[in-house]
Amino acid sequence: MDNRKRVLITGAAGFLGSHLCDRFIKEDFYVIGMDNLITGDLRNIDHLFKLPNFEFYQHDVSKFVHVPGELHYILHFASPASPIDYLKIPIQTLKVGSLGTHNLLGLARGKNARMLIASTSEVYGDPTVNPQPEEYWGNVNPVGPRGVYDEAKRFQEAITMAYHNFHGLETRIVRIFNTYGPRMRLNDGRVLPAFIGQALRGEPLTMFGDGSQTRSFCYVDDLVEGIYRLLFSDYVLPVNIGNPDEITIKEFGEEIIKLTGTDQKLVSKPLPVNDPKQRRPDITKAKQILGWEPKVSRSEGLKITYDYFKSLPAQEILHKDFTYYNKR
Ligand code: UDP
């Protein structure tokens, strides 16, 4: 009889999900991964299949979810998570955040499991306060291109709190700010893989707008540590996890040019609709409640991430099409 604690991780084959699988395996949990593989990639968790304490289900959590046996924890990380994805698969984005979350909350209730949901800084929309504390209610356009993600995530927080307040379910909510690291999809359209991919292909780096908009980038290991601490804390309200080191996209592009040694320049492209002008987490709560703060500097994290992208097969680096969503 295996008496390890059992954790279900949805979105297990994705960027964050796969790193969470690694962490929970390392901590000797029994890990059940689940993913429908629309944006996830089995190569991210290939190394886990040989382990006795890992199993995987290919399943869409927007449909009824059944997992045999006990469950102690559920981490819901299944969702498209880049602006290009929301544009390509808007309905799935809405469904996984709403119907998917509802199904998993029901499963958590049935199993008496603690449920942690992956929320996002997108709940703050295009914020009018900087940095963003958890008390800020946000500035979201529900009918804009990002609305399908932002509103699904806001609903996800609301239904999770309702299950906590009405059913007494143990719940945790992490608000994730821009995160990067190995296993990001090179073609997911996000700024970091876009810039590094362009540098590797010898193309100009596409800066949207004048590049004065800001983001704050957190290395994935720091994020995973924050999530791990939150799960085992007793705090039920949302907690921001991110790196407050804010930078303009123009400066970020210049850093990538320096890092990759490319002779390419930044070229300006139209700014997407409702692109947030500023984003930086206020992490006072994470510091106080979890004793957490990021440890990996951008220069260290970017180097590791660049080495990862460089090591990918050449045809993958050259192949820029966004065809992943046709896989099924
Ligand atoms: N961005 C850019 N060039 C790109 C992709 C993105 O300048 O090729 C900008 C985008 O307009 C945004 C920022 O980089 O201001 C971060 O975009 P990303 O898609 O990574 O995530 P977001 O934080 O907007 O969800």
Side-chain angles (χ1 to χ4, degrees):
M1 175 70 193
D2 194 327
N3 45 25
R4 294 175 170 106
K5 294 280 186 211
R6 290 163 59 88
V7 53
L8 170 67
I9 301 178
T10 75
F15 166 45
L16 298 183
S18 66
H19 283 281
L20 284 165
C21 287
D22 284 346
R23 176 64 187 262
F24 280 85
I25 290 285
K26 195 170 139 216
E27 304 285 349
D28 206 27
F29 283 76
Y30 189 96
V31 175
I32 301 158
M34 189 173 280
D35 204 300
N36 66 0
L37 302 179
I38 288 191
T39 59
D41 190 330
L42 282 181
R43 285 177 302 179
N44 291 336
I45 47 171
D46 209 22
H47 56 289
L48 301 178
F49 279 78
K50 61 180 181 293
L51 302 175
N53 54 330
F54 180 76
E55 62 183 289
F56 178 77
Y57 293 92
Q58 181 171 354
H59 180 68
D60 180 351
V61 297
S62 303
K63 306 201 174 86
F64 181 81
V65 184
H66 174 70
V67 174
E70 278 188 310
L71 275 182
H72 301 94
Y73 303 100
I74 299 177
L75 280 76
H76 182 24
F77 278 69
S79 177
S82 88
I84 288 245
D85 290 342
Y86 327 145
L87 289 174
K88 299 262 182 200
I89 42 176
I91 315 286
Q92 285 96 327
T93 304
L94 277 159
K95 283 169 75 175
V96 73
S98 55
L99 307 181
T101 304
H102 188 207
N103 288 335
L104 292 163
L105 285 164
L107 181 68
R109 247 191 109 200
K111 302 282 188 186
N112 204 14
R114 181 179 296 185
M115 167 103 166
L116 182 145
I117 58 149
S119 187
T120 161
S121 54
E122 282 286 324
V123 301
Y124 302 125
D126 186 3
T128 54
V129 299
N130 199 44
Q132 295 85 51
E134 288 85 348
E135 291 74 22
Y136 178 55
W137 291 351
N139 177 34
V140 171
N141 174 5
V143 295
R146 289 172 177 258
V148 295
Y149 184 62
D150 301 8
E151 295 297 357
K153 290 293 187 182
R154 289 170 69 97
F155 173 86
Q156 182 183 44
E157 289 197 7
I159 193 171
T160 299
M161 283 313 295
Y163 265 71
H164 173 74
N165 291 326
F166 189 73
H167 290 308
L169 189 73
E170 287 220 49
T171 55
R172 305 288 181 269
I173 300 175
V174 57
R175 288 190 183 146
I176 299 169
F177 284 66
N178 292 67
T179 302
Y180 69 97
R183 303 186 192 153
M184 287 186 101
R185 260 190 5 251
L186 194 56
N187 67 353
D188 83 353
R190 289 172 160 269
V191 68
L192 183 142
F195 282 177
I196 291 186
Q198 287 157 348
L200 288 172
R201 291 191 296 273
E203 297 168 356
L205 277 61
T206 53
M207 175 181 75
F208 297 164
D210 63 4
S212 62
Q213 69 274 32
T214 67
R215 294 294 185 272
S216 309
F217 297 96
C218 183
Y219 187 65
V220 63
D221 289 358
D222 281 334
L223 183 93
V224 166
E225 178 64 30
I227 290 169
Y228 195 80
R229 289 186 191 203
L230 177 62
L231 179 68
F232 297 108
S233 77
D234 56 8
Y235 192 74
V236 297
L237 290 172
V239 179
N240 290 339
I241 300 284
N243 190 323
D245 187 1
E246 186 177 7
I247 183 172
T248 68
I249 293 302
K250 185 162 190 282
E251 288 164 335
F252 187 62
E254 283 156 2
E255 279 190 6
I256 301 285
I257 288 173
K258 206 161 154 213
L259 172 75
T260 58
T262 178
D263 52 8
Q264 298 293 324
K265 301 263 176 301
L266 294 169
V267 288
S268 181
K269 296 276 175 190
L271 190 66
V273 176
N274 297 149
D275 196 296
K277 284 180 278 305
Q278 52 186 358
R279 185 182 288 153
R280 175 185 181 187
D282 179 333
I283 59 165
T284 312
K285 277 212 168 55
K287 279 187 183 158
Q288 280 171 354
I289 296 165
L290 312 176
W292 175 89
E293 63 183 323
K295 298 261 182 296
V296 182
S297 68
R298 204 170 47 246
S299 60
E300 287 172 86
L302 283 181
K303 198 181 163 320
I304 300 168
T305 311
Y306 177 48
D307 288 344
Y308 166 78
F309 281 126
K310 259 197 314 194
S311 73
L312 293 176
Q315 71 268 29
E316 216 166 305
I317 294 170
L318 293 173
H319 182 78
K320 302 184 280 184
D321 291 345
F322 300 99
T323 48
Y324 64 85
Y325 59 92
N326 290 329
K327 272 198 304 206
R328 341 176 38 217

